[in-house]
Amino acid sequence: MSQAQPEQAIELLLRRFVPKPERAFAALIERGSAGTTCAFSRGLSEESAQSLLLSEAEHAIVQQARMLTLEGASIDDSSLVAGLTQADRAKIRTLHLIAVGEPSQPIGVFATTALYPTGASAGRQASLAKRLVAGVTARLRGERALREREAELRLTSEMLDLRAVADQRYGNPVGLIEAFLAALAPKVAADAAALFLFARDGSTPGPAVARFGGPEVPGVSARWKQYEETLARFAVAVDRPRAIDAKELPRYGIESLMGSVLLLPLRRDDQVIGVTVLSRGKPIPLTPMEQSLATWAAEFLAHAIPRVLSQAVFERQARQDGLTGLANRREWDRCYSAAFDEAFRTGAPVSILLCDLDRFKVLNDTFGHRAGDETLRIVARTFQDQVFRTRASDPALIARYGGEELAVLLPGFEAAGAFRIAEAIRQAVQETVVSTDGNELRATVSIGLATFPAHADSAEVLVARADMALYEAKMTGRNRVCSAGPLDRPAPAERPSSRRTVRHDPSLFK
């Protein structure tokens, strides 16, 4: 049997049920190992057909009943209508779901908004519909087997292409990963791909080790990257591939830009060491073949290139604080210098926050260093949660500045915007409870803020002004945010010779 024969039979079936596609629709929804997909349709827009899904529970109900007719509220409760456009949703008055295949060997579900012949009794229409669907079942099995063989051949070909990319020589390990992601993304129709590695304790992923694609508009690009980082933090607890559709994304604070995501954990020696985030702008899930290729690619990265990942881990750990997972002081100095130079060149603002945990020495002396370490980790995570909710035009950086001091770099932020972020951090830390060794501890933080060009005209003076503001926050009662100057106009810059000259009372920082 040629491939055209089953397709012609299915097209004929669709035309019988939907002679006027502007008024009704019908679709064959196939179920495979990766879920359901719309294999054939008539009367549906391309967007609806690509988004058409049927939950596993609803599929099982239809297979058991052999045919279901949905009306009224039951239509809204069906998983099938969730991805339809408004125009296609308006075509539904009654929705008929007919099982395709035997219960022991299900193929899927035939969905139609119309039965025929018009004017016949409901019983006769239902009986005819089931016979017509049964009549094409054998052809569907043959057509499905053919498509599966073609998909296997294509999958093998795509794997060989990706292996060829990995076999090439690159100047550094990260370059190999970037090239691999650049080759993978278009093969699975992803708009962006990013690879994150987890900290040594299996938590707190930092910035992406490598990424490809995504929007090119600066503000939109920064927001997309923040969404990727949010998803990577969630993926710390994910040990198998996880697809997230448009309905789920708002749970992670993603209300726009992204339409579907696939999280691919990187496993090595029974340990999840990182995650690859594949994302699309449109609310269209990956096909089973695309998911299979993406899953293989993640396994290939984690197992077939251990040297690459080990080197990437090493390079990342060289930039990361081992306790908190934040950037370390060396990485802060590098990023701060680059951000200030860019701000000085373009005239754009840049703000910094210098933050110090209040009475941290007392906490350490009273509850022990383990409680102090756990407090620092929890506070660092609180900082990340608050900063990553902002609308920065460039990515923010959070670093462990030294001891119990943290620092936040906010490119593109005027003083007023930076103050709002600082206040959100202060309040969130104040409300955070740290549970350790049977104790429930609370911490507070004092924050000094300074902005270029409003408060300083050089990188060194900007840090000194933020340090002076931090000292003021400590002197005036702790657990507060102080600015180096007014939030709405420039202030004259002062030039203390070093950071120590502004710390008159060391006991304030204990």
Side-chain angles (χ1 to χ4, degrees):
M1 179 177 63
S2 71
Q3 183 176 357
Q5 287 176 321
E7 289 186 354
Q8 288 173 357
I10 296 164
E11 284 296 329
L12 179 59
L13 178 68
L14 292 170
R15 287 179 181 277
R16 284 189 175 182
F17 283 96
V18 185
K20 296 181 178 181
E22 67 276 9
R23 297 183 181 179
F25 69 78
L28 174 64
I29 305 161
E30 288 192 352
R31 185 175 185 276
S33 58
T36 59
T37 56
C38 179
F40 300 92
S41 68
R42 179 172 169 78
L44 284 177
S45 66
E46 182 180 355
E47 182 180 349
S48 291
Q50 290 178 327
S51 303
L52 199 63
L53 300 172
L54 192 67
S55 70
E56 186 174 342
E58 195 167 4
H59 180 272
I61 293 171
V62 176
Q63 288 295 332
Q64 184 176 9
R66 309 308 297 163
M67 181 172 179
L68 282 180
T69 296
L70 307 180
E71 297 177 300
S74 61
I75 294 174
D76 296 325
D77 294 336
S78 173
S79 58
L80 187 143
V81 304
L84 297 181
T85 64
Q86 263 191 328
D88 289 331
R89 176 66 180 81
K91 297 175 182 178
I92 304 176
R93 298 294 179 270
T94 305
L95 184 62
H96 308 279
L97 305 177
I98 305 166
V100 182
E102 298 303 318
S104 58
Q105 291 183 305
I107 294 177
V109 169
F110 184 78
T112 178
T113 59
L115 297 178
Y116 85 102
T118 303
S121 66
R124 184 185 171 197
Q125 287 180 329
S127 177
L128 180 58
K130 286 189 280 189
R131 287 203 306 273
L132 287 170
V133 170
V136 298
T137 297
R139 296 183 181 184
L140 282 171
R141 288 195 191 282
E143 193 274 340
R144 182 176 183 176
L146 180 61
R147 280 191 286 115
E148 287 175 349
R149 286 195 295 272
E150 290 175 344
E152 288 175 3
L153 290 173
R154 183 186 166 198
L155 181 61
T156 301
S157 175
E158 302 287 31
M159 288 177 179
L160 291 174
D161 286 348
L162 291 173
R163 282 182 182 274
V165 171
D167 287 341
Q168 297 178 30
R169 294 198 172 196
Y170 299 89
N172 59 74
V174 173
L176 191 156
I177 298 175
E178 289 174 341
F180 194 90
L181 293 179
L184 172 64
K187 290 181 182 297
V188 297
D191 293 318
L195 186 146
F196 297 82
L197 295 175
F198 298 157
R200 280 169 283 190
D201 63 354
S203 64
T204 320
V209 170
R211 64 165 26 100
F212 169 80
E216 296 182 358
V217 179
V220 178
S221 175
R223 175 49 58 93
W224 193 289
K225 291 176 182 178
Q226 288 176 4
Y227 285 163
E228 289 175 330
E229 292 169 359
T230 297
L231 291 162
R233 293 202 303 278
F234 161 76
V236 167
V238 174
D239 62 356
R240 65 188 63 187
R242 169 76 187 277
I244 304 176
D245 61 23
K247 293 185 296 182
E248 283 188 280
L249 285 171
R251 299 179 189 175
Y252 307 97
I254 301 174
E255 301 284 353
S256 61
L257 297 184
M258 288 185 180
S260 64
V261 171
L262 182 64
L263 303 179
L264 297 165
L266 303 177
R267 298 183 64 88
R268 192 175 70 191
D269 299 330
D270 295 325
Q271 181 182 2
V272 178
I273 61 173
V275 65
T276 298
V277 180
L278 297 175
S279 50
R280 287 177 171 176
K282 293 183 178 180
I284 302 171
L286 273 68
T287 66
M289 199 286 290
E290 290 168 342
Q291 288 198 29
S292 295
L293 180 61
T295 301
W296 173 86
E299 293 172 353
F300 184 77
L301 277 173
H303 292 289
I305 322 176
R307 180 187 60 80
V308 173
L309 289 178
S310 296
Q311 181 64 23
V313 170
F314 175 78
E315 291 180 0
R316 178 176 179 269
Q317 289 174 349
R319 305 191 302 269
Q320 183 186 56
D321 174 62
L323 176 64
T324 63
L326 302 176
N328 58 22
R329 178 61 181 270
R330 178 183 298 178
E331 180 69 359
W332 164 271
D333 289 343
R334 184 186 70 82
C335 293
Y336 173 61
S337 177
F340 189 91
D341 288 348
E342 177 69 10
F344 190 84
R345 182 181 66 82
T346 63
V350 60
S351 292
I352 61 172
L353 310 177
L354 295 186
C355 317
D356 191 278
L357 289 182
D358 297 325
R359 299 186 174 89
F360 187 75
K361 184 178 184 302
V362 175
L363 185 150
N364 256 336
D365 292 343
T366 304
F367 298 100
H369 288 285
R370 191 160 74 172
D373 288 350
E374 181 64 12
T375 299
L376 276 172
R377 277 192 288 265
I378 297 298
V379 168
R381 206 166 301 160
T382 302
F383 268 59
Q384 288 178 315
D385 289 342
Q386 294 303 314
V387 171
F388 290 142
R389 291 178 183 173
T390 65
R391 297 180 177 270
S393 58
D394 294 285
L397 177 76
I398 310 171
R400 188 177 182 191
Y401 200 65
E404 68 273 19
E405 294 177 90
L406 306 180
V408 182
L409 175 63
L410 298 170
F413 270 82
E414 300 279 4
F419 188 90
R420 286 193 294 271
I421 295 171
E423 183 59 27
I425 291 171
R426 184 202 65 76
Q427 186 171 347
V429 170
Q430 176 182 269
E431 295 172 355
T432 298
V433 177
V434 179
S435 299
T436 176
D437 296 331
N439 298 305
E440 290 193 347
L441 311 178
R442 290 183 180 273
T444 60
V445 64
S446 297
I447 301 176
L449 177 162
T451 299
F452 169 84
H455 305 145
D457 56 8
S458 72
E460 295 78 10
V461 173
L462 187 64
V463 171
R465 298 279 300 193
D467 201 32
M468 293 170 66
L470 173 59
Y471 176 75
E472 180 185 355
K474 291 286 189 181
M475 283 289 291
T476 54
R478 300 182 173 91
N479 189 25
R480 62 190 60 211
V481 180
C482 288
S483 173
L487 300 180
D488 57 354
R489 64 179 185 274
E494 297 180 19
R495 297 178 180 267
S497 60
S498 74
R499 195 161 181 260
R500 292 182 182 178
T501 61
V502 299
R503 290 203 165 170
H504 306 290
D505 185 358
S507 67
L508 291 172
F509 295 85
K510 294 182 179 179

